[in-house]
Amino acid sequence: MRQIIAMGGGGFSMEPDNPLLDQYILDQANKSQPKICFIPTASGDADSYIERFYDFFNQQECVPSHLSLFKPPTRDLERFVLEQDIIYVGGGNTKNLLVLWKEWGLDKILRKAWEQGVVLAGLSAGSICWYEEGVTDSYGDKLEPLQALGFLKGSHCPHYDGEAERRPAYRQFVDQGTLQEGIAADDGAAVHYVEEDIKRIVSSRQTAKAYRVTSGGEEELAVEYLGKK
């Protein structure tokens, strides 16, 4: 079963005191001690980001590790990735992430992992990357369209409520046909795909929403809050 969990924002790096989304991701492996590997390429392998990953996941029922392309853990990246149960991709510069992944062949390895049942997850850049297209600030001081990996059809916009310019920019790109129609997610919302279809949308915040965005406007999608109501 192929699974991708695309988070608009949230998780250990944005909500350190709210474990709901990260626990949901761990649950999808259906193992008592899933192996979860963090890929922090988009942040330039920021040490503080990696430390926060271990600070959280070392306290969970799992086996955490990380994959650095700046200090590779092994020459056999494919074997390392395919041994994982979950791949968790962090935020940062989506353009740099894609360039480095393709140079190392990690894009093809991740597709193979997905096809073999490894759960793929991530937020921000780690969410955009799975779609055909997305909205990114990778190029500097404004938002622009970006071609991504294409595991999932259409386009994606994370941080839909978290950054004021995201919503109008994404709407404009879709209206103009610069980007395909797609899915937008607020911080705290996660879109869970099984195969290439949305299975459910969950959230760590009661107010977090997700939308299907087309040239005709927005359609609010059903979101399940993971906490106690």
Side-chain angles (χ1 to χ4, degrees), residues 165-181:
E165 68 276 14
R166 289 270 175 176
R167 193 174 204 148
Y170 187 48
R171 288 286 302 273
Q172 182 178 21
F173 289 141
V174 173
D175 286 344
Q176 293 174 342
T178 309
L179 282 176
Q180 299 178 63
E181 298 176 346

Side-chain angles (χ1 to χ4, degrees), residues 97-116:
L97 173 152
L98 292 167
V99 169
L100 281 168
W101 282 9
K102 289 176 182 178
E103 180 65 25
W104 283 82
L106 190 56
D107 55 334
K108 294 182 175 64
I109 293 171
L110 289 170
R111 179 176 282 276
K112 187 173 183 178
W114 177 51
E115 290 171 347
Q116 292 188 10

Side-chain angles (χ1 to χ4, degrees), residues 92-96 136-140 142 144 146:
N93 189 303
T94 315
K95 176 68 173 177
N96 289 346
T136 183
D137 56 5
S138 297
Y139 296 96
K142 65 177 182 177
E144 298 181 47
L146 178 77

Side-chain angles (χ1 to χ4, degrees), residues 39-41 45 67-73 77 97 100-101 104 106:
I39 304 184
T41 313
D45 285 2
L67 172 57
S68 169
L69 295 181
F70 297 90
K71 297 178 181 178
L77 295 183
L97 173 152
L100 281 168
W101 282 9
W104 283 82
L106 190 56

Side-chain angles (χ1 to χ4, degrees), residues 32-204:
S32 59
Q33 290 278 339
K35 297 177 181 178
I36 181 167
C37 177
F38 182 48
I39 304 184
T41 313
S43 69
D45 285 2
D47 289 339
S48 61
Y49 204 0
I50 296 169
E51 288 169 6
R52 281 182 285 162
F53 168 77
Y54 283 110
D55 284 346
F56 177 80
F57 284 99
N58 276 332
Q59 299 179 55
Q60 311 306 312
E61 294 295 323
C62 65
V63 181
S65 64
H66 75 281
L67 172 57
S68 169
L69 295 181
F70 297 90
K71 297 178 181 178
T74 174
R75 292 186 67 87
D76 193 348
L77 295 183
E78 180 171 322
R79 180 176 179 181
F80 181 83
V81 169
L82 295 180
E83 287 176 344
Q84 308 301 320
D85 299 305
I86 302 166
I87 296 294
Y88 192 130
V89 182
N93 189 303
T94 315
K95 176 68 173 177
N96 289 346
L97 173 152
L98 292 167
V99 169
L100 281 168
W101 282 9
K102 289 176 182 178
E103 180 65 25
W104 283 82
L106 190 56
D107 55 334
K108 294 182 175 64
I109 293 171
L110 289 170
R111 179 176 282 276
K112 187 173 183 178
W114 177 51
E115 290 171 347
Q116 292 188 10
V118 177
V119 178
L120 305 182
L123 76 158
S124 194
S127 180
I128 294 169
C129 65
W130 311 121
Y131 293 81
E132 290 180 304
E133 302 172 337
V135 180
T136 183
D137 56 5
S138 297
Y139 296 96
D141 59 356
K142 65 177 182 177
L143 294 167
E144 298 181 47
L146 178 77
Q147 299 294 309
L149 296 178
F151 294 10
L152 300 173
K153 300 295 184 183
S155 65
H156 178 59
C157 181
H159 306 306
Y160 207 51
D161 68 333
E163 299 174 7
E165 68 276 14
R166 289 270 175 176
R167 193 174 204 148
Y170 187 48
R171 288 286 302 273
Q172 182 178 21
F173 289 141
V174 173
D175 286 344
Q176 293 174 342
T178 309
L179 282 176
Q180 299 178 63
E181 298 176 346
I183 301 295
D186 288 349
D187 290 340
V191 187
H192 184 180
Y193 291 82
V194 173
E195 302 305 331
E196 295 173 29
D197 299 318
I198 296 175
K199 174 185 177 182
R200 63 195 295 211
I201 304 173
V202 298
S203 73
S204 58

